[in-house]
Amino acid sequence: MKSIVTSLFILLNTLCFAQITAITSKGDEVVLYDNGTWKYAGKEAPSKPIEENKTPFVKSKDATFPLQSKTVSATVNIDPKKWTFKKGEEGAASEYQFQMKASDAYAMLITERIEIPIESLKQIAIDNAKNVAPDIEVVKQDYRMVNGTKVLFMQMNGTIQGIKFSYLGYYYSNPAGTVQFITYTAQNLLPDYQGELMTLLNGIEFTK
């Protein structure tokens, strides 16, 4: 069974680097960056209730190419003029991997047959992200209706080897299995690609 605990940052298969953490003489955990800077790890604001986004989200009319998961009852509809895809390699956590043509925008579909409560799934994603980017921060989250199904949306920002990344993803689970559909790019490129990343995310459909 693919490990859902390592799902969010499976992109490390490509990046192959991580930050360094250390413990100070006072017992505080700090994150050390390649540029010589550092920050305390694990300093978080108290969690807030997750609000519901009342806007309905639907797939684009240009998302004409359906990719059916073989693990769960989910289909990702993509615009083949803008996105390429490939199957995840054997043993990888992602069932499908995506790249926006001629760009530095990426995505992955991670599927599991086990059902996980959404709050537990959220924490798994955050904890896993901290293993790679200890400064990870949830900058936005809400519940939203995507093609008629209620999912959790999260945007997380973090730093890996001095490079700032943004991750935007949908998280969903039911008795048929669990889905993490995650897009990512460098933070400085997010204004250029965010619209296309969200259009890709909104192409996911679930069969209950």
Side-chain angles (χ1 to χ4, degrees):
M1 182 179 72
K2 300 185 297 294
S3 174
I4 199 166
V5 177
T6 60
S7 59
L8 181 64
F9 276 79
I10 193 64
L11 71 147
L12 283 183
N13 290 340
T14 302
L15 296 178
C16 296
F17 47 60
Q19 295 159 323
I20 299 173
T21 58
I23 304 298
T24 70
S25 60
K26 295 182 180 180
D28 295 318
E29 184 178 8
V30 296
V31 183
L32 308 177
Y33 299 104
D34 279 356
N35 61 7
T37 62
W38 63 275
K39 68 173 289 183
Y40 286 106
K43 305 297 184 182
E44 303 175 9
S47 60
K48 299 178 180 179
I50 302 175
E51 297 182 354
E52 293 202 18
N53 190 324
K54 300 299 184 182
T55 303
F57 296 85
V58 296
K59 67 178 180 179
S60 166
K61 61 180 178 58
D62 297 319
T64 58
F65 192 94
L67 286 172
Q68 176 67 53
S69 169
K70 290 181 169 53
T71 306
V72 298
S73 299
T75 300
V76 176
N77 301 282
I78 69 171
D79 181 349
K81 295 181 179 179
K82 294 183 177 180
W83 289 89
T84 63
F85 73 93
K86 64 179 181 179
K87 292 183 179 180
E89 297 179 1
E90 185 176 356
S94 55
E95 185 175 357
Y96 289 107
Q97 299 170 358
F98 306 85
Q99 181 174 2
M100 188 177 171
K101 294 181 179 180
S103 78
D104 294 307
Y106 307 89
M108 52 189 164
L109 181 72
I110 301 164
T111 55
E112 287 281 358
R113 294 183 62 186
I114 60 174
E115 181 179 14
I116 301 175
I118 196 66
E119 284 295 331
S120 298
L121 179 58
K122 171 190 169 182
Q123 194 59 49
I124 287 171
I126 294 171
D127 289 346
N128 177 59
K130 288 181 180 178
N131 289 334
V132 179
D135 68 337
I136 201 75
E137 179 184 11
V138 179
V139 297
K140 184 176 182 180
Q141 62 180 344
D142 57 42
Y143 289 113
R144 54 182 63 180
M145 295 297 293
V146 179
N147 297 310
T149 300
K150 183 178 179 180
V151 304
L152 172 65
F153 167 78
M154 281 199 300
Q155 177 183 340
M156 291 188 279
N157 291 345
T159 310
I160 304 174
Q161 197 73 7
I163 303 172
K164 296 181 181 297
F165 285 93
S166 288
Y167 300 84
L168 294 79
Y170 284 160
Y171 303 83
Y172 175 74
S173 190
N174 69 10
T178 295
V179 172
Q180 298 180 76
F181 189 24
I182 303 163
T183 64
Y184 54 96
T185 190
Q187 285 183 33
N188 68 303
L189 299 178
L190 186 60
D192 296 332
Y193 298 141
Q194 186 166 3
E196 294 296 344
L197 295 180
M198 291 309 309
T199 297
L200 178 67
L201 287 173
N202 291 333
I204 195 165
E205 295 181 294
F206 300 96
T207 303
K208 300 178 180 180

